């Protein structure tokens, strides 16, 4: 990749704001969700401005492999699934600690080769290359366990989960492994797609995709990026696959992708309880097992506040379900992934949701 001149970097990415070289500093909050650590860049900061500028004007123009479906322009989760609609033998693999495990050394070298590593002025704290590194990565302690104690070994730069730039960077870094996996699968008539850290494989006739040799080969490719599999999330199946609220089905002469019954039941329960006048607090407790004593509030923690919270949550969920249902109908318009029965059902649910939204608005 050709090195970007400092002049072009300044005008194209910094909008000629020289404050970046002197005043830039990381502006990040750490958010713990379940067992995952997310890092959020504060808006209205130089850090956020540079990160989003790099996404729009630089990273989005870098090629990724055709197997990558997540965070790619004009691609969606349905593209990740739909290529497998003719499959019979399915394998889903999940990469363990994807963002913090991926080897960034090559990416950091690409930055040094793509942007100037020299200071334009003596008063500057940063070079263009070091600014880009600070905007796109974070430095963390690499730790290991010694005699049952967790100790810091050294500092390392990682692609943080939560930055606007991180999903695109992950696709760029994964490109060489995607290519290797794609070639390996093509030879064996196996379909391969990837959505972030989810790897999905399917084969029409051969169960080779379920075998030890296939899994061993995929692990070798992942190791090139320092990645390992989360074995607890490995999913092998024949004729169907349930994944993140969707169901790929190819059995009894039926090929389609549909919403899982579990997801559909949640949507129907929320709509039923809302239409029959149940309180938002009742619905949150009955459907989502969310209760006031289990909820951690940032500000107030009283019944009135919790009721208002439940009311807004239920409305947002209903609107979200409508968008969810509409998206699968729109995708089916062009790609024909639904059977007639499910398409009719989903259209009727959308009509019911529209009436409910009008009543609640």
């Amino acid at each position: 990749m050709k090195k970007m001149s400092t002049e072009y970097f300044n005008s194209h990415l910094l909008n000629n704001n020289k404050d970046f070289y002197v005043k830039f500093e990381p502006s990040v909050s750490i958010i713990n969700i379940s067992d995952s650590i997310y890092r959020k860049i504060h808006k209205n900061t130089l850090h956020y401005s540079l990160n989003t500028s790099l996404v729009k004007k630089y990273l989005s123009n870098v090629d990724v492999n055709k197997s990558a479906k997540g965070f790619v322009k004009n691609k969606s989760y349905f593209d990740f699934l739909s290529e497998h609609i003719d499959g019979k033998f399915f394998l889903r693999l999940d990469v363990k600690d994807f963002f913090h495990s991926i080897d960034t050394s090559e990416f950091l070298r690409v930055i040094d080769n793509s942007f100037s590593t020299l200071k334009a002025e003596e008063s500057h704290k940063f070079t263009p290359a070091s600014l880009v590194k600070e905007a796109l990565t974070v430095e963390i302690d690499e730790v290991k366990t010694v005699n049952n104690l967790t100790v810091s070994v050294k500092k390392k730069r990682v692609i943080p989960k939560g930055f606007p730039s991180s999903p695109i960077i992950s696709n760029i870094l994964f490109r060489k492994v995607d290519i290797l996996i794609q070639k390996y699968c093509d030879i064996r008539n196996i379909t391969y797609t990837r959505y972030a850290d989810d790897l999905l494989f399917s084969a029409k006739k051969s169960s080779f995709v379920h075998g030890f040799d296939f899994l061993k080969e995929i692990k070798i490719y992942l190791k090139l990026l320092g990645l390992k599999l989360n074995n607890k999330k490995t999913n092998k199946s024949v004729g169907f696959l349930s994944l993140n609220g969707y169901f790929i089905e190819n059995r009894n002469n039926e090929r389609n992708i549909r919403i899982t019954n579990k997801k559909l039941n949640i949507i129907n329960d929320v709509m039923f309880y809302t239409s029959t006048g149940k309180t938002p607090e009742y619905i949150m407790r009955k459907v989502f097992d969310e209760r006031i004593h289990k909820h951690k509030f940032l500000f107030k923690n009283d019944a009135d506040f919790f009721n208002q919270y439940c009311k807004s949550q239920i409305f947002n969920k209903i609107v979200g379900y409508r968008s969810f249902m509409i998206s699968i109908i729109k995708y089916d318009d062009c790609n024909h992934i639904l059977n007639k029965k499910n398409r009719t059902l989903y259209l009727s649910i959308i009509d019911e949701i529209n009436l409910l939204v009008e009543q609640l608005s």
Side-chain angles (χ1 to χ4, degrees):
M1 190 176 292
K2 187 178 179 181
K3 179 168 285 195
M4 186 183 294
S5 70
T6 299
E7 292 75 17
Y8 187 79
F9 178 81
N10 291 342
S11 62
H12 191 61
L13 292 171
L14 304 186
N15 293 321
N16 290 315
N17 183 355
K18 299 294 183 67
D19 284 348
F20 282 94
Y21 290 113
V22 180
K23 297 181 180 180
F24 179 92
E25 57 182 43
S27 183
V28 179
S29 294
I30 296 177
I31 303 171
N32 292 293
I33 301 177
S34 299
D35 296 327
S36 297
I37 297 175
Y38 292 80
R39 286 175 168 81
K40 180 181 179 181
I41 305 176
H42 299 156
K43 292 189 176 181
N44 302 318
T45 62
L46 292 175
H47 190 175
Y48 188 83
S49 175
L50 181 53
N51 188 281
T52 53
S53 180
L54 284 163
V55 169
K56 294 176 183 177
K57 301 176 181 179
Y58 180 68
L59 295 172
S60 296
N61 297 320
V62 180
D63 289 336
V64 298
N65 184 255
K66 65 178 183 178
S67 61
K69 308 299 182 183
F71 315 102
V72 177
K73 189 176 181 180
N74 299 323
K75 296 295 179 183
S76 70
Y77 199 76
F78 298 124
D79 293 292
F80 169 63
L81 299 175
S82 64
E83 291 190 23
H84 301 272
I85 199 167
D86 291 321
K88 181 179 180 182
F89 299 92
F90 298 97
L91 173 67
R92 180 268 183 126
L93 302 175
D94 180 84
V95 177
K96 186 177 182 180
D97 198 16
F98 181 56
F99 286 100
H100 285 189
S101 296
I102 199 165
D103 185 0
T104 60
S105 58
E106 184 176 338
F107 179 64
L108 296 175
R109 284 195 297 272
V110 169
I111 291 175
D112 284 337
N113 292 330
S114 303
F115 302 93
S116 174
T117 56
L118 301 174
K119 291 181 180 179
E121 298 178 19
E122 196 63 38
S123 60
H124 290 175
K125 290 195 302 182
F126 298 97
T127 67
S130 62
L131 262 180
V132 172
K133 289 177 186 177
E134 290 289 339
L136 300 179
T137 65
V138 294
E139 192 173 61
I140 65 170
D141 289 323
E142 189 172 18
V143 298
K144 69 176 182 180
T145 303
V146 179
N147 297 326
N148 295 323
L149 294 175
T150 301
V151 296
S152 175
V153 180
K154 60 181 179 179
K155 299 283 187 181
K156 71 171 183 177
R157 285 210 162 265
V158 299
I159 308 299
K161 186 185 291 188
F163 276 21
S165 54
S166 293
I168 298 176
I169 294 173
S170 70
N171 281 339
I172 295 169
L173 293 176
F174 221 100
R175 184 174 184 270
K176 66 178 181 181
V177 172
D178 280 333
I179 291 171
L180 290 171
I181 294 176
Q182 189 83 59
K183 288 181 177 179
Y184 180 72
C185 289
D186 286 347
I187 293 170
R188 289 156 182 81
N189 295 315
I190 294 169
T191 300
Y192 164 60
T193 58
R194 181 179 60 81
Y195 197 97
D197 54 0
D198 266 345
L199 282 63
L200 187 56
F201 305 88
S202 65
K204 294 180 182 180
K205 298 179 181 180
S206 173
S207 62
F208 178 74
V209 72
H210 287 173
F212 173 80
D213 289 341
F214 181 80
L215 193 59
K216 180 182 177 181
E217 195 72 17
I218 300 303
K219 287 180 178 179
I220 291 171
Y221 293 139
L222 292 176
K223 196 172 182 180
L224 295 174
L225 292 175
L227 299 173
K228 296 180 180 179
L229 291 175
N230 183 348
N231 294 321
K232 292 180 180 179
K233 292 189 176 182
T234 296
N235 186 354
K236 300 177 183 179
S237 59
V238 180
F240 68 92
L241 178 71
S242 179
L243 185 62
N244 295 331
Y246 296 98
F247 199 86
I248 307 174
E249 190 172 33
N250 185 1
R251 52 186 177 176
N252 301 324
N253 297 318
E254 178 115 27
R255 310 161 45 256
N256 77 110
I257 295 173
R258 61 177 173 84
I259 301 168
T260 59
N261 292 334
K262 181 179 179 181
K263 182 81 171 179
L264 209 55
N265 287 339
I266 291 173
I267 295 173
N268 287 328
D269 284 348
V270 171
M271 289 170 55
F272 172 75
Y273 288 130
T274 303
S275 63
T276 54
K278 297 297 184 183
T279 66
E281 187 272 338
Y282 174 90
I283 300 170
M284 291 295 287
R285 182 178 72 251
K286 186 75 174 179
V287 181
F288 303 103
D289 194 31
E290 186 153 0
R291 306 162 192 269
I292 188 168
H293 69 274
K294 294 171 66 175
H295 198 89
K296 295 180 181 180
F297 290 99
L298 189 60
F299 302 109
K300 293 191 293 183
N301 186 10
D302 57 44
D304 288 340
F305 184 80
F306 183 66
N307 287 334
Q308 286 300 314
Y309 163 79
C310 290
K311 185 177 180 180
S312 65
Q313 284 293 298
I314 292 300
F315 183 80
N316 291 339
K317 285 180 183 294
I318 290 172
V319 172
Y321 294 149
R322 178 174 61 181
S323 298
F324 173 72
M325 303 294 288
I326 289 173
S327 67
I328 194 168
I329 290 295
K330 285 186 175 180
Y331 191 84
D332 182 60
D333 288 340
C334 299
N335 299 278
H336 312 296
I337 60 171
L338 300 173
N339 62 26
K340 186 176 180 180
K341 177 183 174 182
N342 286 327
R343 182 179 172 88
T344 302
L345 173 63
Y346 300 163
L347 285 170
S348 69
I349 292 175
I350 291 170
D351 288 339
E352 291 178 36
I353 294 176
N354 285 334
L355 290 173
L356 201 54
V357 169
E358 284 183 19
Q359 296 171 14
L360 297 174
S361 298

Short mmCIF file of all heavy atoms in Angstrom, two decimals, residues 95-131:
data_model
loop_
_atom_site.label_atom_id
_atom_site.label_comp_id
_atom_site.label_asym_id
_atom_site.label_seq_id
_atom_site.Cartn_x
_atom_site.Cartn_y
_atom_site.Cartn_z
N VAL A 95 -14.70 -17.89 17.45
CA VAL A 95 -13.32 -17.55 17.83
C VAL A 95 -13.30 -17.00 19.24
O VAL A 95 -14.09 -16.12 19.60
CB VAL A 95 -12.71 -16.53 16.85
CG1 VAL A 95 -11.31 -16.14 17.29
CG2 VAL A 95 -12.68 -17.12 15.44
N LYS A 96 -12.41 -17.50 20.05
CA LYS A 96 -12.31 -17.12 21.45
C LYS A 96 -11.60 -15.77 21.62
O LYS A 96 -10.53 -15.56 21.05
CB LYS A 96 -11.55 -18.20 22.22
CG LYS A 96 -11.51 -18.00 23.73
CD LYS A 96 -10.79 -19.18 24.39
CE LYS A 96 -10.77 -19.02 25.91
NZ LYS A 96 -10.09 -20.17 26.55
N ASP A 97 -12.23 -14.86 22.38
CA ASP A 97 -11.63 -13.56 22.69
C ASP A 97 -11.05 -12.91 21.45
O ASP A 97 -9.88 -12.53 21.39
CB ASP A 97 -10.56 -13.74 23.76
CG ASP A 97 -10.21 -12.43 24.47
OD1 ASP A 97 -10.98 -11.46 24.35
OD2 ASP A 97 -9.15 -12.36 25.12
N PHE A 98 -11.88 -12.79 20.44
CA PHE A 98 -11.48 -12.42 19.08
C PHE A 98 -10.62 -11.17 19.03
O PHE A 98 -9.48 -11.18 18.54
CB PHE A 98 -12.75 -12.25 18.25
CG PHE A 98 -12.52 -11.90 16.81
CD1 PHE A 98 -11.74 -12.70 15.99
CD2 PHE A 98 -13.11 -10.78 16.25
CE1 PHE A 98 -11.56 -12.40 14.65
CE2 PHE A 98 -12.94 -10.47 14.91
CZ PHE A 98 -12.16 -11.28 14.11
N PHE A 99 -11.12 -10.05 19.52
CA PHE A 99 -10.43 -8.77 19.34
C PHE A 99 -9.11 -8.70 20.11
O PHE A 99 -8.11 -8.22 19.59
CB PHE A 99 -11.35 -7.62 19.74
CG PHE A 99 -12.43 -7.34 18.74
CD1 PHE A 99 -13.71 -7.80 18.93
CD2 PHE A 99 -12.15 -6.64 17.57
CE1 PHE A 99 -14.71 -7.56 17.99
CE2 PHE A 99 -13.13 -6.40 16.63
CZ PHE A 99 -14.42 -6.86 16.84
N HIS A 100 -9.10 -9.15 21.35
CA HIS A 100 -7.89 -9.02 22.16
C HIS A 100 -6.85 -10.09 21.85
O HIS A 100 -5.69 -9.96 22.21
CB HIS A 100 -8.23 -9.04 23.65
CG HIS A 100 -8.84 -7.75 24.12
ND1 HIS A 100 -9.06 -7.46 25.44
CD2 HIS A 100 -9.26 -6.66 23.43
CE1 HIS A 100 -9.61 -6.27 25.55
NE2 HIS A 100 -9.74 -5.76 24.34
N SER A 101 -7.26 -11.16 21.18
CA SER A 101 -6.31 -12.24 20.86
C SER A 101 -5.64 -12.06 19.51
O SER A 101 -4.54 -12.57 19.29
CB SER A 101 -7.03 -13.60 20.90
OG SER A 101 -7.50 -13.89 22.18
N ILE A 102 -6.30 -11.37 18.61
CA ILE A 102 -5.79 -11.29 17.24
C ILE A 102 -4.43 -10.58 17.20
O ILE A 102 -4.22 -9.58 17.88
CB ILE A 102 -6.81 -10.58 16.33
CG1 ILE A 102 -6.55 -10.89 14.86
CG2 ILE A 102 -6.87 -9.09 16.58
CD1 ILE A 102 -7.72 -10.54 13.95
N ASP A 103 -3.51 -11.14 16.46
CA ASP A 103 -2.14 -10.60 16.36
C ASP A 103 -2.16 -9.30 15.55
O ASP A 103 -2.47 -9.30 14.36
CB ASP A 103 -1.24 -11.63 15.69
CG ASP A 103 0.22 -11.21 15.65
OD1 ASP A 103 0.54 -10.10 16.16
OD2 ASP A 103 1.04 -11.96 15.12
N THR A 104 -1.82 -8.20 16.21
CA THR A 104 -1.87 -6.88 15.55
C THR A 104 -0.52 -6.43 15.03
O THR A 104 -0.41 -5.33 14.47
CB THR A 104 -2.39 -5.81 16.53
OG1 THR A 104 -1.52 -5.74 17.66
CG2 THR A 104 -3.80 -6.13 17.00
N SER A 105 0.53 -7.23 15.20
CA SER A 105 1.87 -6.79 14.83
C SER A 105 1.96 -6.42 13.35
O SER A 105 2.57 -5.40 12.98
CB SER A 105 2.90 -7.87 15.17
OG SER A 105 2.59 -9.09 14.52
N GLU A 106 1.34 -7.23 12.50
CA GLU A 106 1.38 -6.94 11.06
C GLU A 106 0.60 -5.66 10.75
O GLU A 106 1.02 -4.86 9.92
CB GLU A 106 0.80 -8.11 10.27
CG GLU A 106 0.89 -7.92 8.77
CD GLU A 106 0.40 -9.13 7.98
OE1 GLU A 106 0.39 -10.25 8.55
OE2 GLU A 106 0.05 -8.96 6.81
N PHE A 107 -0.52 -5.47 11.43
CA PHE A 107 -1.33 -4.27 11.22
C PHE A 107 -0.56 -3.02 11.63
O PHE A 107 -0.59 -1.99 10.93
CB PHE A 107 -2.63 -4.38 12.03
CG PHE A 107 -3.53 -3.18 11.91
CD1 PHE A 107 -4.09 -2.83 10.69
CD2 PHE A 107 -3.81 -2.40 13.02
CE1 PHE A 107 -4.93 -1.73 10.58
CE2 PHE A 107 -4.65 -1.30 12.92
CZ PHE A 107 -5.21 -0.96 11.69
N LEU A 108 0.16 -3.09 12.73
CA LEU A 108 0.96 -1.95 13.18
C LEU A 108 2.08 -1.64 12.19
O LEU A 108 2.43 -0.47 11.97
CB LEU A 108 1.52 -2.22 14.58
CG LEU A 108 0.48 -2.38 15.70
CD1 LEU A 108 1.14 -2.76 17.01
CD2 LEU A 108 -0.33 -1.09 15.87
N ARG A 109 2.65 -2.69 11.59
CA ARG A 109 3.69 -2.48 10.57
C ARG A 109 3.08 -1.82 9.33
O ARG A 109 3.71 -0.95 8.71
CB ARG A 109 4.35 -3.81 10.19
CG ARG A 109 5.33 -4.34 11.21
CD ARG A 109 6.20 -5.45 10.61
NE ARG A 109 5.41 -6.61 10.22
CZ ARG A 109 5.12 -7.61 11.05
NH1 ARG A 109 5.56 -7.60 12.31
NH2 ARG A 109 4.41 -8.64 10.62
N VAL A 110 1.86 -2.22 8.97
CA VAL A 110 1.18 -1.61 7.82
C VAL A 110 0.96 -0.12 8.06
O VAL A 110 1.13 0.70 7.15
CB VAL A 110 -0.16 -2.32 7.54
CG1 VAL A 110 -1.00 -1.53 6.54
CG2 VAL A 110 0.08 -3.73 7.02
N ILE A 111 0.60 0.24 9.29
CA ILE A 111 0.42 1.66 9.63
C ILE A 111 1.72 2.42 9.43
O ILE A 111 1.75 3.51 8.84
CB ILE A 111 -0.09 1.81 11.08
CG1 ILE A 111 -1.53 1.29 11.19
CG2 ILE A 111 -0.03 3.28 11.52
CD1 ILE A 111 -2.08 1.29 12.59
N ASP A 112 2.82 1.84 9.93
CA ASP A 112 4.13 2.51 9.77
C ASP A 112 4.52 2.63 8.31
O ASP A 112 5.21 3.59 7.92
CB ASP A 112 5.21 1.72 10.53
CG ASP A 112 5.14 1.93 12.03
OD1 ASP A 112 4.59 2.97 12.45
OD2 ASP A 112 5.61 1.06 12.79
N ASN A 113 4.10 1.67 7.50
CA ASN A 113 4.43 1.71 6.07
C ASN A 113 3.48 2.60 5.27
O ASN A 113 3.80 2.97 4.13
CB ASN A 113 4.41 0.29 5.48
CG ASN A 113 5.54 -0.57 6.01
OD1 ASN A 113 6.61 -0.05 6.34
ND2 ASN A 113 5.31 -1.87 6.09
N SER A 114 2.32 2.91 5.84
CA SER A 114 1.30 3.66 5.12
C SER A 114 1.26 5.14 5.48
O SER A 114 0.74 5.96 4.71
CB SER A 114 -0.09 3.05 5.37
OG SER A 114 -0.11 1.70 4.99
N PHE A 115 1.76 5.48 6.67
CA PHE A 115 1.74 6.86 7.14
C PHE A 115 3.14 7.28 7.58
O PHE A 115 3.95 6.44 7.99
CB PHE A 115 0.76 7.02 8.31
CG PHE A 115 -0.65 6.61 7.98
CD1 PHE A 115 -1.09 5.31 8.23
CD2 PHE A 115 -1.54 7.51 7.41
CE1 PHE A 115 -2.38 4.92 7.93
CE2 PHE A 115 -2.83 7.13 7.10
CZ PHE A 115 -3.26 5.83 7.36
N SER A 116 3.38 8.55 7.54
CA SER A 116 4.71 9.05 7.90
C SER A 116 5.02 8.78 9.37
O SER A 116 4.18 8.96 10.25
CB SER A 116 4.78 10.56 7.64
OG SER A 116 6.00 11.08 8.12
N THR A 117 6.26 8.37 9.63
CA THR A 117 6.72 8.13 11.00
C THR A 117 7.61 9.28 11.49
O THR A 117 8.30 9.14 12.50
CB THR A 117 7.49 6.80 11.08
OG1 THR A 117 8.56 6.83 10.13
CG2 THR A 117 6.58 5.62 10.78
N LEU A 118 7.58 10.39 10.78
CA LEU A 118 8.38 11.57 11.14
C LEU A 118 7.47 12.70 11.61
O LEU A 118 6.38 12.91 11.09
CB LEU A 118 9.19 12.05 9.93
CG LEU A 118 10.17 11.04 9.33
CD1 LEU A 118 10.79 11.62 8.06
CD2 LEU A 118 11.24 10.66 10.34
N LYS A 119 7.96 13.45 12.60
CA LYS A 119 7.23 14.62 13.07
C LYS A 119 7.38 15.76 12.07
O LYS A 119 8.49 16.04 11.60
CB LYS A 119 7.74 15.07 14.43
CG LYS A 119 7.44 14.12 15.57
CD LYS A 119 7.96 14.67 16.90
CE LYS A 119 7.66 13.72 18.06
NZ LYS A 119 8.18 14.26 19.34
N ALA A 120 6.25 16.39 11.75
CA ALA A 120 6.29 17.51 10.81
C ALA A 120 6.92 18.75 11.45
O ALA A 120 7.58 19.54 10.78
CB ALA A 120 4.89 17.85 10.31
N GLU A 121 6.71 18.90 12.76
CA GLU A 121 7.27 20.02 13.49
C GLU A 121 7.81 19.54 14.83
O GLU A 121 7.33 18.56 15.40
CB GLU A 121 6.21 21.11 13.72
CG GLU A 121 5.65 21.71 12.43
CD GLU A 121 4.58 22.75 12.70
OE1 GLU A 121 4.51 23.26 13.84
OE2 GLU A 121 3.79 23.04 11.77
N GLU A 122 8.81 20.23 15.34
CA GLU A 122 9.47 19.82 16.58
C GLU A 122 8.51 19.83 17.77
O GLU A 122 8.63 19.02 18.70
CB GLU A 122 10.65 20.77 16.87
CG GLU A 122 11.63 20.24 17.90
CD GLU A 122 12.33 18.97 17.43
OE1 GLU A 122 12.65 18.86 16.24
OE2 GLU A 122 12.54 18.08 18.28
N SER A 123 7.52 20.73 17.74
CA SER A 123 6.60 20.85 18.87
C SER A 123 5.55 19.74 18.90
O SER A 123 4.82 19.60 19.90
CB SER A 123 5.88 22.21 18.81
OG SER A 123 5.16 22.33 17.60
N HIS A 124 5.44 18.96 17.85
CA HIS A 124 4.42 17.91 17.79
C HIS A 124 4.77 16.74 18.70
O HIS A 124 5.93 16.32 18.78
CB HIS A 124 4.27 17.39 16.36
CG HIS A 124 3.64 18.38 15.43
ND1 HIS A 124 3.50 18.15 14.08
CD2 HIS A 124 3.08 19.61 15.66
CE1 HIS A 124 2.90 19.19 13.52
NE2 HIS A 124 2.65 20.08 14.45
N LYS A 125 3.76 16.20 19.38
CA LYS A 125 3.94 15.00 20.20
C LYS A 125 3.82 13.74 19.35
O LYS A 125 4.35 12.68 19.71
CB LYS A 125 2.88 14.94 21.31
CG LYS A 125 3.04 15.97 22.41
CD LYS A 125 2.20 15.62 23.64
CE LYS A 125 0.72 15.49 23.31
NZ LYS A 125 -0.09 15.19 24.51
N PHE A 126 3.10 13.84 18.22
CA PHE A 126 2.78 12.67 17.43
C PHE A 126 3.24 12.81 15.98
O PHE A 126 3.34 13.92 15.45
CB PHE A 126 1.27 12.41 17.42
CG PHE A 126 0.67 12.13 18.77
CD1 PHE A 126 0.06 13.15 19.49
CD2 PHE A 126 0.73 10.86 19.32
CE1 PHE A 126 -0.50 12.90 20.73
CE2 PHE A 126 0.18 10.60 20.56
CZ PHE A 126 -0.44 11.62 21.27
N THR A 127 3.50 11.67 15.37
CA THR A 127 3.65 11.58 13.92
C THR A 127 2.31 11.13 13.36
O THR A 127 1.45 10.65 14.12
CB THR A 127 4.73 10.56 13.55
OG1 THR A 127 4.26 9.25 13.91
CG2 THR A 127 6.04 10.85 14.27
N PRO A 128 2.08 11.22 12.07
CA PRO A 128 0.83 10.66 11.52
C PRO A 128 0.64 9.19 11.86
O PRO A 128 -0.46 8.78 12.23
CB PRO A 128 1.01 10.87 10.01
CG PRO A 128 1.84 12.11 9.91
CD PRO A 128 2.82 12.01 11.05
N ALA A 129 1.71 8.40 11.79
CA ALA A 129 1.59 6.96 12.09
C ALA A 129 1.22 6.72 13.55
O ALA A 129 0.35 5.88 13.86
CB ALA A 129 2.90 6.25 11.75
N SER A 130 1.86 7.44 14.46
CA SER A 130 1.56 7.23 15.88
C SER A 130 0.16 7.73 16.24
O SER A 130 -0.50 7.16 17.11
CB SER A 130 2.61 7.91 16.77
OG SER A 130 2.62 9.31 16.58
N LEU A 131 -0.31 8.76 15.56
CA LEU A 131 -1.69 9.22 15.77
C LEU A 131 -2.68 8.14 15.37
O LEU A 131 -3.66 7.88 16.08
CB LEU A 131 -1.95 10.48 14.93
CG LEU A 131 -1.84 11.84 15.60
CD1 LEU A 131 -2.14 12.94 14.58
CD2 LEU A 131 -2.78 11.96 16.79
#
